[in-house]
Structure formats: C-alpha cells, structure tokens
Amino acid sequence: MAGWSVRDIPGQDGRVAVVTGANSGLGYVVARELARRGARVVLACRSERRGSEALARLGAEVPGARAEMRRLDLADLGSVREFAGGLPYGHVDLLVNNAGVMALPYGTTADGFETQFGTNHLGHFALTGLLLPALFAAPGARVVTVSSPLHALANVDLRDPHATRRYHRWTAYARSKSANLLFTHELARRLAEHAPDVVAAAAHPGYAATNLQTAGPSAEGRRAVVWLVRGANRLFAQPVEAGALPVLYAATAPGVRPDSFTGPSFAMWRGAPAPSWRAPWTLDDTMGERLWAASERMTGVTYEALNG
C-alpha cells in the first residue's frame, strides 16, 4: 500500500458504482475518481439541489464522465426503497456506503430511529440489502462501508439503540460507527458462505477536512464551535483528497480482503492507505449476529439469500 494514490486505481470501464453522500467531501472525491477511471457513477444524494451542483462540477472536472445523480435520503426508509427500486442497471459492481451525520443534537429519522444510528447504520443496512441481487449479478462486486476511528469510543448498545434513556451526541456517533464495522464483519462472514465472490470491506479517512465536523454546530447556530473546528481543520486535518484514498483503495485495489479496515498509515490520522486498528468488539461474531437480526427487524429488510 505504500505510496498508493489515485494513479493506482485500476480501470473501471463497464463497472457501475453507487456512492452515497456524493455531493461533497469524501463522497464527491470518491465518485469523481471512479468516474475518471471509467466507471458509471451514481451520486446518491439527499439534497437534489446539492446533488445536481455536484454532478455539474464533476462533469466539468472529468469531461465525458458517465455520471448521474439520484435522490437518496438514508434517514427515510421509503426513500431508500425508492432509490434501490429505481436504479435502471442490472448489476452494481461497487456500493460505497459513505454518507453520514456526526454529533447532532438528539433527533429521529422519518421512521423513528435515533438520527445517527438510523442514518449511518440502518439506512445503509437497508440499502445494501435491497441492492444485494444487483451486487450478486456483478462478478467481483464490493461493498465498502465508511467508519471512523471514533468508533473506539463506544460499542453498539442494543438494549437502547435509539438512546431513548440517555443521549450523548459523541457516544451516539461512535455507536453508529461501531455498527458500520460490525455490519461489515457480519456481512463478510455471511458472504464467505453464500457468495464468496462479493467482498465486504470497511475504510475510514482519518482526520480529513470535510463539512461533516461543522454540520452539527452550524445547524445549532454555535458559531464559536464552527470557528474552532474550521481552525483545527486548517491546522491538523489532511485534505479531503487524501482522506478519500483509503476508501478508494478498499473499493478498487486488487486483493482487498473481506472484513478488512483501511485507513491512513500514520496514527489512523493521515498518510497513505494502510491496515487500520479496530476495537475488538467490532469483530465479535455474537454481537454481529445480534445487530444483524435487530437491523432486519427495525428496517424490514431481510437478506434472505444470506440467512440460510
């Protein structure tokens, strides 16, 4: 992996890639670089306006890119079903579960789930399950789910998954990111038995300068916090293009192993893609099975092909 860069991305001609949250930040860079290498890219975005602006920008940066924007709100299972049912392609070679929210004040999704757990985990769990037939139809398909080093702050709490008893924004975020890794672990385990040609892997950007860190305080009008975060980003964060590299590596590099976790090489913070440390609980088979069963119950999306 040493020195791996976008120049090392293999050709993606003929491949269909779905990238959630592709209107900005990591998702946009991932979509742009996949399109640059020839993939047909679907920018899955909650805001049609911002998604359309991103699509126009991508077209300007990558002339001739085969890209389109489709609306997807991961905080609304109806939108997830509509998106999955409306894809006009018989196969999906790459699904990048990138979109997410961070450290928001307490709220709930359209379906009554705590916002961070519902968006970051349950929305992507449902999307992946609904796209499973299309992934099975693509030889060598991959599902890459974006987590965070901050997953290490807390494990999933299935006794109170929606934090109805007690809510702390950073704990809730960490639990949703642990759920991303547990989902990847359990998905990889089931794919190994039923569809070994499909790879489920995870990645994280380290500390990358995106608008994710400021979205929560900005929505609450906490200007001083926004100012401090932006200052920290300028001083300490790596550029978003560098943060996207571990995701692109997991999505495209030959030989990526199922259930691998790729991040920046230096202290999980910055640098070239490298294997990343993860909390032991994200490799717990029993917890993975419990989260899987609970996610199927909550979303109503069952992975029948992988449940045998």
Side-chain angles (χ1 to χ4, degrees), residues 140-169:
R142 290 190 192 179
V143 178
V144 176
T145 300
V146 178
S147 183
S148 165
L150 293 178
H151 80 273
L153 295 177
N155 193 4
V156 177
D157 182 3
L158 290 179
R159 299 167 301 176
D160 187 24
H162 305 301
T164 55
R165 293 196 293 267
R166 183 179 182 184
Y167 181 77
H168 185 280
R169 66 183 72 205

PDB file of all heavy atoms in Angstrom, residues 140-169:
ATOM      1  N   GLY A 140     -17.166 -10.127  -8.788  1.00  0.00           N
ATOM      2  CA  GLY A 140     -16.187  -9.356  -8.035  1.00  0.00           C
ATOM      3  C   GLY A 140     -16.716  -8.076  -7.432  1.00  0.00           C
ATOM      4  O   GLY A 140     -15.948  -7.127  -7.190  1.00  0.00           O
ATOM      5  N   ALA A 141     -18.020  -8.020  -7.142  1.00  0.00           N
ATOM      6  CA  ALA A 141     -18.608  -6.811  -6.566  1.00  0.00           C
ATOM      7  C   ALA A 141     -18.032  -6.540  -5.175  1.00  0.00           C
ATOM      8  O   ALA A 141     -17.550  -7.451  -4.487  1.00  0.00           O
ATOM      9  CB  ALA A 141     -20.127  -6.956  -6.489  1.00  0.00           C
ATOM     10  N   ARG A 142     -18.113  -5.275  -4.768  1.00  0.00           N
ATOM     11  CA  ARG A 142     -17.637  -4.887  -3.440  1.00  0.00           C
ATOM     12  C   ARG A 142     -18.647  -3.970  -2.759  1.00  0.00           C
ATOM     13  O   ARG A 142     -19.306  -3.153  -3.412  1.00  0.00           O
ATOM     14  CB  ARG A 142     -16.290  -4.162  -3.516  1.00  0.00           C
ATOM     15  CG  ARG A 142     -15.139  -5.050  -3.896  1.00  0.00           C
ATOM     16  CD  ARG A 142     -13.801  -4.350  -3.731  1.00  0.00           C
ATOM     17  NE  ARG A 142     -12.736  -5.125  -4.372  1.00  0.00           N
ATOM     18  CZ  ARG A 142     -11.478  -4.778  -4.409  1.00  0.00           C
ATOM     19  NH1 ARG A 142     -11.086  -3.634  -3.842  1.00  0.00           N
ATOM     20  NH2 ARG A 142     -10.578  -5.537  -5.010  1.00  0.00           N
ATOM     21  N   VAL A 143     -18.699  -4.107  -1.442  1.00  0.00           N
ATOM     22  CA  VAL A 143     -19.439  -3.184  -0.588  1.00  0.00           C
ATOM     23  C   VAL A 143     -18.424  -2.581   0.375  1.00  0.00           C
ATOM     24  O   VAL A 143     -17.810  -3.301   1.163  1.00  0.00           O
ATOM     25  CB  VAL A 143     -20.554  -3.897   0.205  1.00  0.00           C
ATOM     26  CG1 VAL A 143     -21.274  -2.903   1.123  1.00  0.00           C
ATOM     27  CG2 VAL A 143     -21.539  -4.589  -0.732  1.00  0.00           C
ATOM     28  N   VAL A 144     -18.233  -1.278   0.291  1.00  0.00           N
ATOM     29  CA  VAL A 144     -17.278  -0.585   1.163  1.00  0.00           C
ATOM     30  C   VAL A 144     -18.064   0.360   2.056  1.00  0.00           C
ATOM     31  O   VAL A 144     -18.764   1.256   1.563  1.00  0.00           O
ATOM     32  CB  VAL A 144     -16.229   0.186   0.357  1.00  0.00           C
ATOM     33  CG1 VAL A 144     -15.308   0.974   1.289  1.00  0.00           C
ATOM     34  CG2 VAL A 144     -15.419  -0.772  -0.506  1.00  0.00           C
ATOM     35  N   THR A 145     -17.951   0.169   3.354  1.00  0.00           N
ATOM     36  CA  THR A 145     -18.671   0.991   4.315  1.00  0.00           C
ATOM     37  C   THR A 145     -17.674   1.856   5.077  1.00  0.00           C
ATOM     38  O   THR A 145     -16.659   1.365   5.571  1.00  0.00           O
ATOM     39  CB  THR A 145     -19.476   0.114   5.286  1.00  0.00           C
ATOM     40  OG1 THR A 145     -20.415  -0.672   4.520  1.00  0.00           O
ATOM     41  CG2 THR A 145     -20.242   0.955   6.290  1.00  0.00           C
ATOM     42  N   VAL A 146     -17.970   3.147   5.144  1.00  0.00           N
ATOM     43  CA  VAL A 146     -17.050   4.102   5.749  1.00  0.00           C
ATOM     44  C   VAL A 146     -17.359   4.240   7.240  1.00  0.00           C
ATOM     45  O   VAL A 146     -18.469   4.607   7.631  1.00  0.00           O
ATOM     46  CB  VAL A 146     -17.142   5.472   5.053  1.00  0.00           C
ATOM     47  CG1 VAL A 146     -16.200   6.473   5.720  1.00  0.00           C
ATOM     48  CG2 VAL A 146     -16.806   5.332   3.570  1.00  0.00           C
ATOM     49  N   SER A 147     -16.364   3.947   8.068  1.00  0.00           N
ATOM     50  CA  SER A 147     -16.484   4.088   9.510  1.00  0.00           C
ATOM     51  C   SER A 147     -15.602   5.246   9.968  1.00  0.00           C
ATOM     52  O   SER A 147     -15.361   6.200   9.212  1.00  0.00           O
ATOM     53  CB  SER A 147     -16.108   2.772  10.205  1.00  0.00           C
ATOM     54  OG  SER A 147     -16.285   2.862  11.596  1.00  0.00           O
ATOM     55  N   SER A 148     -15.111   5.192  11.188  1.00  0.00           N
ATOM     56  CA  SER A 148     -14.319   6.279  11.747  1.00  0.00           C
ATOM     57  C   SER A 148     -13.452   5.755  12.879  1.00  0.00           C
ATOM     58  O   SER A 148     -13.855   4.818  13.583  1.00  0.00           O
ATOM     59  CB  SER A 148     -15.251   7.366  12.292  1.00  0.00           C
ATOM     60  OG  SER A 148     -14.564   8.273  13.141  1.00  0.00           O
ATOM     61  N   PRO A 149     -12.285   6.349  13.109  1.00  0.00           N
ATOM     62  CA  PRO A 149     -11.505   5.972  14.295  1.00  0.00           C
ATOM     63  C   PRO A 149     -12.286   6.199  15.589  1.00  0.00           C
ATOM     64  O   PRO A 149     -12.032   5.546  16.598  1.00  0.00           O
ATOM     65  CB  PRO A 149     -10.281   6.894  14.221  1.00  0.00           C
ATOM     66  CG  PRO A 149     -10.196   7.323  12.805  1.00  0.00           C
ATOM     67  CD  PRO A 149     -11.596   7.374  12.301  1.00  0.00           C
ATOM     68  N   LEU A 150     -13.247   7.109  15.555  1.00  0.00           N
ATOM     69  CA  LEU A 150     -14.030   7.408  16.752  1.00  0.00           C
ATOM     70  C   LEU A 150     -14.994   6.283  17.126  1.00  0.00           C
ATOM     71  O   LEU A 150     -15.638   6.367  18.172  1.00  0.00           O
ATOM     72  CB  LEU A 150     -14.800   8.717  16.562  1.00  0.00           C
ATOM     73  CG  LEU A 150     -13.925   9.974  16.463  1.00  0.00           C
ATOM     74  CD1 LEU A 150     -14.799  11.205  16.229  1.00  0.00           C
ATOM     75  CD2 LEU A 150     -13.081  10.161  17.700  1.00  0.00           C
ATOM     76  N   HIS A 151     -15.046   5.240  16.308  1.00  0.00           N
ATOM     77  CA  HIS A 151     -15.868   4.083  16.706  1.00  0.00           C
ATOM     78  C   HIS A 151     -15.372   3.527  18.036  1.00  0.00           C
ATOM     79  O   HIS A 151     -16.128   2.910  18.792  1.00  0.00           O
ATOM     80  CB  HIS A 151     -15.816   2.988  15.630  1.00  0.00           C
ATOM     81  CG  HIS A 151     -14.576   2.141  15.681  1.00  0.00           C
ATOM     82  ND1 HIS A 151     -13.401   2.479  15.045  1.00  0.00           N
ATOM     83  CD2 HIS A 151     -14.313   0.967  16.318  1.00  0.00           C
ATOM     84  CE1 HIS A 151     -12.484   1.561  15.283  1.00  0.00           C
ATOM     85  NE2 HIS A 151     -13.008   0.625  16.046  1.00  0.00           N
ATOM     86  N   ALA A 152     -14.085   3.751  18.328  1.00  0.00           N
ATOM     87  CA  ALA A 152     -13.474   3.185  19.532  1.00  0.00           C
ATOM     88  C   ALA A 152     -14.026   3.785  20.826  1.00  0.00           C
ATOM     89  O   ALA A 152     -13.769   3.258  21.908  1.00  0.00           O
ATOM     90  CB  ALA A 152     -11.961   3.376  19.485  1.00  0.00           C
ATOM     91  N   LEU A 153     -14.814   4.860  20.724  1.00  0.00           N
ATOM     92  CA  LEU A 153     -15.367   5.486  21.922  1.00  0.00           C
ATOM     93  C   LEU A 153     -16.526   4.704  22.523  1.00  0.00           C
ATOM     94  O   LEU A 153     -16.821   4.863  23.717  1.00  0.00           O
ATOM     95  CB  LEU A 153     -15.830   6.917  21.605  1.00  0.00           C
ATOM     96  CG  LEU A 153     -14.757   7.919  21.200  1.00  0.00           C
ATOM     97  CD1 LEU A 153     -15.392   9.252  20.861  1.00  0.00           C
ATOM     98  CD2 LEU A 153     -13.724   8.073  22.311  1.00  0.00           C
ATOM     99  N   ALA A 154     -17.198   3.876  21.724  1.00  0.00           N
ATOM    100  CA  ALA A 154     -18.363   3.180  22.267  1.00  0.00           C
ATOM    101  C   ALA A 154     -18.798   2.039  21.354  1.00  0.00           C
ATOM    102  O   ALA A 154     -18.753   2.156  20.123  1.00  0.00           O
ATOM    103  CB  ALA A 154     -19.541   4.145  22.443  1.00  0.00           C
ATOM    104  N   ASN A 155     -19.235   0.961  21.984  1.00  0.00           N
ATOM    105  CA  ASN A 155     -19.819  -0.160  21.255  1.00  0.00           C
ATOM    106  C   ASN A 155     -21.314   0.091  21.051  1.00  0.00           C
ATOM    107  O   ASN A 155     -21.917   0.953  21.703  1.00  0.00           O
ATOM    108  CB  ASN A 155     -19.605  -1.456  22.052  1.00  0.00           C
ATOM    109  CG  ASN A 155     -19.907  -2.704  21.229  1.00  0.00           C
ATOM    110  OD1 ASN A 155     -20.209  -2.609  20.045  1.00  0.00           O
ATOM    111  ND2 ASN A 155     -19.811  -3.861  21.859  1.00  0.00           N
ATOM    112  N   VAL A 156     -21.913  -0.678  20.166  1.00  0.00           N
ATOM    113  CA  VAL A 156     -23.360  -0.616  19.957  1.00  0.00           C
ATOM    114  C   VAL A 156     -24.082  -1.044  21.238  1.00  0.00           C
ATOM    115  O   VAL A 156     -23.650  -1.972  21.924  1.00  0.00           O
ATOM    116  CB  VAL A 156     -23.761  -1.541  18.789  1.00  0.00           C
ATOM    117  CG1 VAL A 156     -25.278  -1.551  18.600  1.00  0.00           C
ATOM    118  CG2 VAL A 156     -23.064  -1.096  17.508  1.00  0.00           C
ATOM    119  N   ASP A 157     -25.174  -0.368  21.550  1.00  0.00           N
ATOM    120  CA  ASP A 157     -25.994  -0.727  22.708  1.00  0.00           C
ATOM    121  C   ASP A 157     -27.365  -1.164  22.210  1.00  0.00           C
ATOM    122  O   ASP A 157     -28.241  -0.331  21.973  1.00  0.00           O
ATOM    123  CB  ASP A 157     -26.122   0.456  23.667  1.00  0.00           C
ATOM    124  CG  ASP A 157     -26.923   0.123  24.921  1.00  0.00           C
ATOM    125  OD1 ASP A 157     -27.333  -1.053  25.060  1.00  0.00           O
ATOM    126  OD2 ASP A 157     -27.142   1.027  25.746  1.00  0.00           O
ATOM    127  N   LEU A 158     -27.553  -2.472  22.035  1.00  0.00           N
ATOM    128  CA  LEU A 158     -28.817  -2.968  21.508  1.00  0.00           C
ATOM    129  C   LEU A 158     -29.925  -2.976  22.558  1.00  0.00           C
ATOM    130  O   LEU A 158     -31.082  -3.207  22.221  1.00  0.00           O
ATOM    131  CB  LEU A 158     -28.625  -4.374  20.926  1.00  0.00           C
ATOM    132  CG  LEU A 158     -27.792  -4.412  19.643  1.00  0.00           C
ATOM    133  CD1 LEU A 158     -27.637  -5.848  19.144  1.00  0.00           C
ATOM    134  CD2 LEU A 158     -28.411  -3.533  18.554  1.00  0.00           C
ATOM    135  N   ARG A 159     -29.594  -2.699  23.799  1.00  0.00           N
ATOM    136  CA  ARG A 159     -30.630  -2.549  24.821  1.00  0.00           C
ATOM    137  C   ARG A 159     -31.354  -1.212  24.649  1.00  0.00           C
ATOM    138  O   ARG A 159     -32.513  -1.078  25.037  1.00  0.00           O
ATOM    139  CB  ARG A 159     -30.031  -2.644  26.213  1.00  0.00           C
ATOM    140  CG  ARG A 159     -29.352  -3.977  26.547  1.00  0.00           C
ATOM    141  CD  ARG A 159     -28.521  -3.853  27.799  1.00  0.00           C
ATOM    142  NE  ARG A 159     -27.482  -2.830  27.639  1.00  0.00           N
ATOM    143  CZ  ARG A 159     -26.648  -2.448  28.597  1.00  0.00           C
ATOM    144  NH1 ARG A 159     -26.732  -3.002  29.807  1.00  0.00           N
ATOM    145  NH2 ARG A 159     -25.731  -1.525  28.372  1.00  0.00           N
ATOM    146  N   ASP A 160     -30.660  -0.242  24.090  1.00  0.00           N
ATOM    147  CA  ASP A 160     -31.230   1.092  23.878  1.00  0.00           C
ATOM    148  C   ASP A 160     -30.636   1.686  22.607  1.00  0.00           C
ATOM    149  O   ASP A 160     -29.917   2.685  22.648  1.00  0.00           O
ATOM    150  CB  ASP A 160     -30.921   1.978  25.093  1.00  0.00           C
ATOM    151  CG  ASP A 160     -31.618   3.331  25.029  1.00  0.00           C
ATOM    152  OD1 ASP A 160     -32.660   3.434  24.342  1.00  0.00           O
ATOM    153  OD2 ASP A 160     -31.102   4.282  25.651  1.00  0.00           O
ATOM    154  N   PRO A 161     -30.907   1.081  21.448  1.00  0.00           N
ATOM    155  CA  PRO A 161     -30.233   1.501  20.213  1.00  0.00           C
ATOM    156  C   PRO A 161     -30.563   2.930  19.795  1.00  0.00           C
ATOM    157  O   PRO A 161     -29.778   3.557  19.086  1.00  0.00           O
ATOM    158  CB  PRO A 161     -30.726   0.487  19.175  1.00  0.00           C
ATOM    159  CG  PRO A 161     -32.027  -0.010  19.724  1.00  0.00           C
ATOM    160  CD  PRO A 161     -31.846  -0.021  21.206  1.00  0.00           C
ATOM    161  N   HIS A 162     -31.702   3.431  20.235  1.00  0.00           N
ATOM    162  CA  HIS A 162     -32.110   4.772  19.817  1.00  0.00           C
ATOM    163  C   HIS A 162     -31.940   5.807  20.927  1.00  0.00           C
ATOM    164  O   HIS A 162     -32.504   6.901  20.859  1.00  0.00           O
ATOM    165  CB  HIS A 162     -33.547   4.739  19.305  1.00  0.00           C
ATOM    166  CG  HIS A 162     -33.733   3.727  18.214  1.00  0.00           C
ATOM    167  ND1 HIS A 162     -33.020   3.771  17.043  1.00  0.00           N
ATOM    168  CD2 HIS A 162     -34.513   2.622  18.147  1.00  0.00           C
ATOM    169  CE1 HIS A 162     -33.364   2.736  16.285  1.00  0.00           C
ATOM    170  NE2 HIS A 162     -34.253   2.031  16.935  1.00  0.00           N
ATOM    171  N   ALA A 163     -31.166   5.428  21.954  1.00  0.00           N
ATOM    172  CA  ALA A 163     -30.777   6.362  23.019  1.00  0.00           C
ATOM    173  C   ALA A 163     -31.968   7.083  23.626  1.00  0.00           C
ATOM    174  O   ALA A 163     -31.930   8.292  23.861  1.00  0.00           O
ATOM    175  CB  ALA A 163     -29.755   7.359  22.482  1.00  0.00           C
ATOM    176  N   THR A 164     -33.024   6.339  23.877  1.00  0.00           N
ATOM    177  CA  THR A 164     -34.216   6.950  24.466  1.00  0.00           C
ATOM    178  C   THR A 164     -34.045   7.217  25.959  1.00  0.00           C
ATOM    179  O   THR A 164     -34.726   8.074  26.524  1.00  0.00           O
ATOM    180  CB  THR A 164     -35.448   6.052  24.241  1.00  0.00           C
ATOM    181  OG1 THR A 164     -35.170   4.746  24.768  1.00  0.00           O
ATOM    182  CG2 THR A 164     -35.775   5.933  22.768  1.00  0.00           C
ATOM    183  N   ARG A 165     -33.132   6.474  26.606  1.00  0.00           N
ATOM    184  CA  ARG A 165     -32.925   6.668  28.042  1.00  0.00           C
ATOM    185  C   ARG A 165     -31.896   7.762  28.320  1.00  0.00           C
ATOM    186  O   ARG A 165     -32.041   8.541  29.248  1.00  0.00           O
ATOM    187  CB  ARG A 165     -32.485   5.353  28.704  1.00  0.00           C
ATOM    188  CG  ARG A 165     -33.567   4.278  28.704  1.00  0.00           C
ATOM    189  CD  ARG A 165     -33.235   3.170  29.689  1.00  0.00           C
ATOM    190  NE  ARG A 165     -32.062   2.407  29.299  1.00  0.00           N
ATOM    191  CZ  ARG A 165     -32.101   1.287  28.580  1.00  0.00           C
ATOM    192  NH1 ARG A 165     -33.268   0.803  28.163  1.00  0.00           N
ATOM    193  NH2 ARG A 165     -30.982   0.631  28.277  1.00  0.00           N
ATOM    194  N   ARG A 166     -30.857   7.793  27.522  1.00  0.00           N
ATOM    195  CA  ARG A 166     -29.808   8.794  27.712  1.00  0.00           C
ATOM    196  C   ARG A 166     -29.121   9.046  26.381  1.00  0.00           C
ATOM    197  O   ARG A 166     -28.769   8.098  25.683  1.00  0.00           O
ATOM    198  CB  ARG A 166     -28.798   8.316  28.760  1.00  0.00           C
ATOM    199  CG  ARG A 166     -27.708   9.325  29.077  1.00  0.00           C
ATOM    200  CD  ARG A 166     -26.763   8.772  30.133  1.00  0.00           C
ATOM    201  NE  ARG A 166     -25.733   9.742  30.474  1.00  0.00           N
ATOM    202  CZ  ARG A 166     -24.726   9.501  31.308  1.00  0.00           C
ATOM    203  NH1 ARG A 166     -24.627   8.318  31.895  1.00  0.00           N
ATOM    204  NH2 ARG A 166     -23.828  10.427  31.567  1.00  0.00           N
ATOM    205  N   TYR A 167     -28.918  10.312  26.060  1.00  0.00           N
ATOM    206  CA  TYR A 167     -28.311  10.640  24.772  1.00  0.00           C
ATOM    207  C   TYR A 167     -27.093  11.533  24.970  1.00  0.00           C
ATOM    208  O   TYR A 167     -27.153  12.541  25.674  1.00  0.00           O
ATOM    209  CB  TYR A 167     -29.310  11.361  23.869  1.00  0.00           C
ATOM    210  CG  TYR A 167     -28.741  11.716  22.504  1.00  0.00           C
ATOM    211  CD1 TYR A 167     -28.603  10.739  21.524  1.00  0.00           C
ATOM    212  CD2 TYR A 167     -28.344  13.022  22.205  1.00  0.00           C
ATOM    213  CE1 TYR A 167     -28.076  11.046  20.278  1.00  0.00           C
ATOM    214  CE2 TYR A 167     -27.818  13.334  20.955  1.00  0.00           C
ATOM    215  CZ  TYR A 167     -27.682  12.337  19.996  1.00  0.00           C
ATOM    216  OH  TYR A 167     -27.163  12.634  18.761  1.00  0.00           O
ATOM    217  N   HIS A 168     -26.000  11.118  24.353  1.00  0.00           N
ATOM    218  CA  HIS A 168     -24.803  11.950  24.246  1.00  0.00           C
ATOM    219  C   HIS A 168     -24.365  11.894  22.790  1.00  0.00           C
ATOM    220  O   HIS A 168     -24.161  10.812  22.236  1.00  0.00           O
ATOM    221  CB  HIS A 168     -23.686  11.441  25.155  1.00  0.00           C
ATOM    222  CG  HIS A 168     -22.483  12.320  25.161  1.00  0.00           C
ATOM    223  ND1 HIS A 168     -21.528  12.294  24.153  1.00  0.00           N
ATOM    224  CD2 HIS A 168     -22.075  13.287  26.031  1.00  0.00           C
ATOM    225  CE1 HIS A 168     -20.589  13.176  24.409  1.00  0.00           C
ATOM    226  NE2 HIS A 168     -20.891  13.802  25.544  1.00  0.00           N
ATOM    227  N   ARG A 169     -24.239  13.038  22.172  1.00  0.00           N
ATOM    228  CA  ARG A 169     -24.053  13.088  20.711  1.00  0.00           C
ATOM    229  C   ARG A 169     -22.826  12.327  20.228  1.00  0.00           C
ATOM    230  O   ARG A 169     -22.876  11.649  19.195  1.00  0.00           O
ATOM    231  CB  ARG A 169     -24.023  14.544  20.227  1.00  0.00           C
ATOM    232  CG  ARG A 169     -22.855  15.356  20.701  1.00  0.00           C
ATOM    233  CD  ARG A 169     -22.951  16.801  20.218  1.00  0.00           C
ATOM    234  NE  ARG A 169     -24.005  17.528  20.930  1.00  0.00           N
ATOM    235  CZ  ARG A 169     -24.639  18.589  20.432  1.00  0.00           C
ATOM    236  NH1 ARG A 169     -24.339  19.044  19.233  1.00  0.00           N
ATOM    237  NH2 ARG A 169     -25.558  19.215  21.129  1.00  0.00           N
TER     238      ARG A 169
END
